[in-house]
Amino acid sequence: MLINSDKADKTTVHDLRGQNANFPNSSLLQWASDDARRLSIWKIEGNSVTGFPDDGVEWCALNLQDGTGTRGIVVAFKYFASGLTVKYRCYVNKEWLSNWMTIV
């Protein structure tokens, strides 16, 4: 299934449906916990979305959420020349439960 044939705007953050998630005071936690249909989001260097493991570089985050939308796990991926970094963080009722934990 083709989601979108257009390239994402590199100055903003987009989810898989092409919606812009860049808005004043936006955060990864707010994005993940506000809408149970949200699956993934790209953090593009230089945008205003905060809450990623390192806000200064590009990340791709996957939101794994229960059916009620009250708890979930965000898994973040960072790609770079020497390898891959994968981290996760849990949330319940719109609050982080843990710090970022490294998987790889």
Side-chain angles (χ1 to χ4, degrees), residues 13-33:
V13 175
H14 294 269
D15 71 13
L16 280 176
R17 295 174 296 166
Q19 295 174 329
N20 185 349
N22 251 352
F23 44 90
N25 302 318
S26 62
S27 72
L28 180 61
L29 176 61
Q30 179 180 355
W31 170 84
S33 61

Side-chain angles (χ1 to χ4, degrees), residues 41-99:
I41 192 168
W42 280 93
K43 157 65 171 93
I44 306 302
E45 184 176 357
N47 68 31
S48 62
V49 176
T50 62
F52 285 81
D54 175 358
D55 286 327
V57 296
E58 286 189 14
W59 287 88
C60 180
L62 177 63
N63 184 30
L64 307 172
Q65 192 178 73
D66 73 348
T68 67
T70 60
R71 61 185 175 154
I73 298 171
V74 175
V75 182
F77 304 87
K78 178 175 72 170
Y79 307 94
F80 51 100
S82 61
L84 168 71
T85 298
V86 180
K87 297 186 176 217
Y88 73 91
R89 195 171 190 185
C90 302
Y91 62 90
V92 171
N93 295 324
K94 302 189 182 216
E95 291 188 22
W96 290 120
L97 282 182
S98 65
N99 292 322

